[in-house]
Amino acid sequence: MRLNFYKFAAHLEVMIDQIKNYIKEAEAFTSEKLDEVEAFRIKFLGKKGILNEFFAEFKNVPNEQKKEFGQSINQLKQTAQAKVDELKLKIESQKDEAGIYGDLTRSAQPSEIGARHPISIVKNQIIEIFANIGFNVSEGPEIEDDWHNFTALNLPEYHPARDMQDTFFIQTNPEDILLRTHTSSVQVRYMENNQPPIRTISPGRVFRNEDISARSHCIFHQVEGLYIDKNVSFADLKQTLLYFTKQLFGKSKIRLRPSYFPFTEPSAEVDIYWGLETETDYRITKGTGWLEIMGCGMVDPNVLKNCNIDPNTYSGFAFGMGIERIAMLLYQIGDIRMFYENDLRFLKQFKSVV
Ligand code: DAH
């Protein structure tokens, strides 16, 4: 296209107007379809597109107007290119969102971590403390027979001590199948199936036909401990329990009060010295400073015999404690029912404890 100067000047103005219109057109363009965006790209930016036509004119533009003309076509180029990029990105990201993985570039949502139940926390602590001195973990069924829950533990039929634990019977005629009233049933099962040396602790759920109150529940948890070997003495029992109470409560004074359990002889109740520093200490220890935390004793020779272990060769000790009671002491929880209500305001307080 060769034009004389005046004609070209008019032509240039027309072209600049055209470019301005194209810029407006490019700015206004929108589409959600890739092929339409591609058509737009070819129209403006393709080899035979609008921009290249204007660029071809550039050499004909007089020097003084090259700047204005050049700026206009550059602006058009940038506008068209930006529009293509923007629309392509938008269409691609919509595709990703619809895909099975969603948008992989999206930052992760912080998800709330759950909390362990305080009973589990305390149970795991007890297991760990005994694992450190060689105890393994054993478990038994919650639905038990009379032999493992009572008879083998030196509680024959009509033994008055059976009344110490109100039992839920499942089969009542004869009264033979029941919900275990303590985890001592697991020590019977363990001794029946393993020969000494035995070092085991048995955590689990137990059931008693008792009224529910702030202090007691009909379902709760216990941990049973059993140690059988040659020459196991009462001193071993006391040292083991002292180690345990130091580890769990950080208290280093205990006392063993004579007591009675059919399956141990002699038997004792274990108290820890909690102290009398605060008002709470006074309240929970009833002003004595002492707190009862478990029962224990030397395994009765009758129990060893019932489980096919020779009482002339072996001796051992056993102990049993309620997990709820210990958790209530550790966390200063005033009502046992809180453990079973599943109130998130209560449970969330144990969040930071692993
Ligand atoms: N089984 C007893 C209870 O439920 C607790 C217990 C006391 C277990 C003394 C023992 C023990 O092993 O030696 O009350």
Side-chain angles (χ1 to χ4, degrees):
M1 201 177 358
R2 253 352 255 138
L3 300 163
N4 69 40
F5 177 77
Y6 292 105
K7 271 197 173 166
F8 190 82
H11 179 61
L12 189 65
E13 261 178 38
V14 173
M15 279 200 296
I16 290 178
D17 274 350
Q18 273 180 344
I19 293 172
K20 282 184 183 153
N21 284 336
Y22 281 133
I23 291 173
K24 278 190 198 141
E25 183 187 331
E27 278 170 350
F29 177 73
T30 186
S31 169
E32 293 189 349
K33 290 187 184 137
L34 264 186
D35 54 348
E36 285 176 9
V37 176
E38 181 60 7
F40 171 87
R41 189 191 67 78
I42 291 169
K43 177 178 168 190
F44 282 88
L45 301 159
K47 240 186 197 166
K48 294 180 181 165
I50 291 165
L51 265 155
N52 275 349
E53 266 179 38
F54 284 120
F55 277 125
E57 284 295 326
F58 192 72
K59 60 180 187 303
N60 301 323
V61 177
N63 277 346
E64 356 23 301
Q65 277 147 326
K66 271 197 159 70
K67 191 175 170 197
E68 190 193 354
F69 185 74
Q71 277 174 349
S72 308
I73 44 178
N74 268 330
Q75 199 190 339
L76 175 59
K77 187 181 173 187
Q78 278 162 15
T79 310
Q81 190 63 56
K83 180 61 80 172
V84 170
D85 293 346
E86 174 204 318
L87 292 177
K88 272 193 176 166
L89 194 74
K90 205 165 141 192
I91 294 169
E92 291 295 327
S93 70
Q94 274 167 358
K95 247 202 224 158
D96 279 349
E97 274 166 29
I100 52 168
Y101 296 119
D103 176 6
L104 294 179
T105 60
R106 209 181 51 210
S107 63
Q109 290 285 328
S111 49
E112 232 191 311
I113 297 171
R116 239 182 242 297
H117 194 282
I119 296 296
S120 298
I121 295 169
V122 173
K123 181 187 81 175
N124 291 341
Q125 278 174 345
I126 297 172
I127 289 175
E128 199 184 314
I129 292 170
F130 282 104
N132 286 341
I133 53 169
F135 280 70
N136 66 9
V137 176
S138 50
E139 284 181 340
E142 291 177 351
I143 298 175
E144 256 307 357
D145 52 37
D146 178 283
W147 170 256
H148 292 97
N149 197 78
F150 291 129
T151 308
L153 287 163
N154 210 22
L155 277 150
E157 214 182 340
Y158 305 120
H159 192 290
R162 284 195 177 206
D163 293 341
M164 281 163 69
Q165 303 175 351
D166 293 318
T167 310
F168 285 117
F169 287 97
I170 290 176
Q171 182 188 297
T172 46
N173 189 21
E175 286 183 338
D176 197 34
I177 304 295
L178 46 88
L179 294 178
R180 67 179 176 196
T181 57
H182 52 184
T183 43
S184 301
S185 56
V186 186
Q187 56 159 287
V188 176
R189 288 186 178 271
Y190 199 85
M191 284 189 278
E192 284 174 342
N193 294 306
N194 297 276
Q195 277 299 306
I198 289 171
R199 272 185 242 111
T200 190
I201 55 165
S202 323
R205 203 153 52 145
V206 301
F207 308 83
R208 287 190 199 173
N209 194 354
E210 273 175 22
D211 288 342
I212 295 171
S213 70
R215 304 257 108 223
S216 69
H217 210 282
C218 57
I219 302 176
F220 57 102
H221 299 77
Q222 285 187 333
V223 174
E224 184 82 9
L226 180 70
Y227 184 16
I228 312 274
D229 204 346
K230 287 176 184 153
N231 303 317
V232 177
S233 69
F234 201 86
D236 296 325
L237 168 61
K238 185 169 181 190
Q239 286 309 311
T240 304
L241 296 181
L242 189 58
Y243 155 78
F244 168 70
T245 50
K246 270 188 196 163
Q247 296 286 311
L248 189 65
F249 296 102
K251 310 271 183 193
S252 48
K253 206 158 120 188
I254 60 169
R255 73 181 180 196
L256 281 80
R257 263 183 302 112
S259 183
Y260 171 75
F261 297 102
F263 26 90
T264 43
E265 181 56 38
S267 304
E269 215 84 63
V270 183
D271 299 341
I272 54 172
Y273 189 68
W274 191 260
L276 279 174
E277 274 155 36
T278 66
E279 221 171 289
T280 315
D281 295 346
Y282 266 89
R283 185 169 44 79
I284 61 175
T285 67
K286 297 193 182 96
T288 64
W290 291 95
L291 272 177
E292 183 194 317
I293 53 157
M294 66 171 107
C296 69
M298 300 305 290
V299 179
D300 192 300
N302 285 337
V303 177
L304 293 177
K305 251 186 265 163
N306 287 339
C307 302
N308 303 319
I309 290 176
D310 180 4
N312 297 317
T313 314
Y314 294 106
S315 58
F317 61 75
F319 54 87
M321 64 192 116
I323 302 182
E324 277 80 353
R325 176 161 172 74
I326 291 185
M328 285 167 85
L329 290 173
L330 284 174
Y331 296 124
Q332 301 287 306
I333 296 165
D335 191 323
I336 196 172
R337 291 168 290 200
M338 295 240 199
F339 291 119
Y340 317 111
E341 277 165 2
N342 281 336
D343 185 334
L344 287 178
R345 291 167 302 177
F346 171 72
L347 296 174
K348 275 182 175 171
Q349 296 178 49
F350 302 92
K351 197 169 251 179
S352 59
V353 194
V354 188

